[in-house]
Amino acid sequence: MVIGQRVGYARVSTTAQDLGLQKERLVDCDRIFEEKVSGKRGTTRPALNEALAYVRNGDVFVVTKLDRLARSVHDLMQITQMLQDKNCDLKVLDQELDTSTPTGRLIFHVLAVICEFERELITERVNEGRMRAMAAGVKFGRKPKLTKLEEESLSTWIREEALSKEDLAEKFSVSVSTVYRRMSAITKAAA
């Protein structure tokens, strides 16, 4: 087995918080990546991305707590997969998880199965809710740019060829591509 570096990652959610305690716990790491950024979904974590790009074959990626690393179980599994792809282990100090051990790998595999099951349940509930809503007459998707009356009026203007496509788009407050789609629909209906 290749013996590599211990690469630490420390994160706090706001600039007012202090990284000191995490850095103390990661003191035996060869390199520590740190950042002060929220863990909320949609927020980029540049130091985490840099750390994941930095680790090499045989390295151990070390964090103090799972919530400092991942936003969700799904996020954790993605990060763990990236590390596995690079032949790196993950060590979480507070939870005493270590993927270099058989027990640590077992725990992460159990988490992966739970995550997959959770995602399937959520998908199933969303689909059931959507079907119920559709049966109740709820329409999904973006609201049409034009009402039926406006569509008919636009169709009339298109057939009369009195204005250019750009002028029609401006007159009806839509994009030129919307005018082209309406023209296409008219052509298909006539065929």
Side-chain angles (χ1 to χ4, degrees):
M1 178 173 171
V2 177
I3 297 180
Q5 295 186 64
R6 288 174 57 89
V7 178
Y9 173 70
R11 181 185 64 79
V12 290
S13 298
T14 66
T15 55
Q17 293 175 318
D18 184 31
L19 287 162
L21 184 61
Q22 288 181 61
K23 286 168 56 177
E24 283 176 26
R25 306 237 4 249
L26 297 170
V27 73
D28 64 341
C29 290
D30 299 298
R31 177 143 185 213
I32 299 173
F33 292 84
E34 56 187 76
E35 62 190 338
K36 293 184 175 188
V37 65
S38 171
K40 287 183 183 174
R41 189 168 278 159
T43 307
T44 58
R45 297 171 288 176
L48 175 60
N49 294 335
E50 187 181 347
L52 292 171
Y54 177 82
V55 293
R56 300 288 180 257
N57 182 21
D59 287 352
V60 178
F61 194 80
V62 185
V63 294
T64 57
K65 295 180 181 182
L66 281 176
D67 68 347
R68 299 296 87 202
L69 175 62
R71 297 175 169 127
S72 64
V73 176
H74 178 68
D75 190 28
L76 176 62
M77 291 301 117
Q78 286 182 322
I79 292 168
T80 307
Q81 186 61 54
M82 282 185 238
L83 292 170
Q84 284 177 354
D85 292 346
K86 291 184 158 201
N87 196 30
C88 297
D89 290 311
L90 173 64
K91 185 167 189 156
V92 184
L93 301 177
D94 283 4
Q95 283 87 13
E96 298 181 13
L97 296 175
D98 185 349
T99 62
S100 68
T101 68
T103 304
R105 285 191 295 277
L106 172 66
I107 290 169
F108 273 92
H109 283 41
V110 169
L111 285 175
V113 170
I114 291 169
C115 177
E116 185 177 336
F117 177 68
E118 178 186 27
R119 264 185 275 128
E120 287 176 5
L121 287 177
I122 289 169
T123 301
E124 191 175 286
R125 285 192 299 264
V126 167
N127 288 338
E128 286 173 1
R130 181 172 290 149
M131 296 302 280
R132 269 189 257 114
M134 287 171 63
V138 174
K139 299 206 187 278
F140 289 92
R142 190 170 59 183
K143 184 179 176 184
K145 298 242 182 213
L146 300 172
T147 65
K148 289 287 183 196
L149 185 60
E150 289 170 327
E151 271 189 28
E152 290 171 14
S153 179
L154 175 59
S155 297
T156 301
W157 279 94
I158 289 170
R159 283 189 202 99
E160 291 178 5
E161 299 180 12
L163 296 173
S164 70
K165 292 160 200 67
E166 292 78 14
D167 290 339
L168 285 172
E170 188 175 325
K171 177 177 178 56
F172 286 90
S173 300
V174 295
S175 67
V176 175
S177 57
T178 299
V179 175
Y180 274 106
R181 278 192 295 278
R182 191 70 214 140
M183 289 174 69
S184 176
I186 292 168
T187 304
K188 285 180 184 176

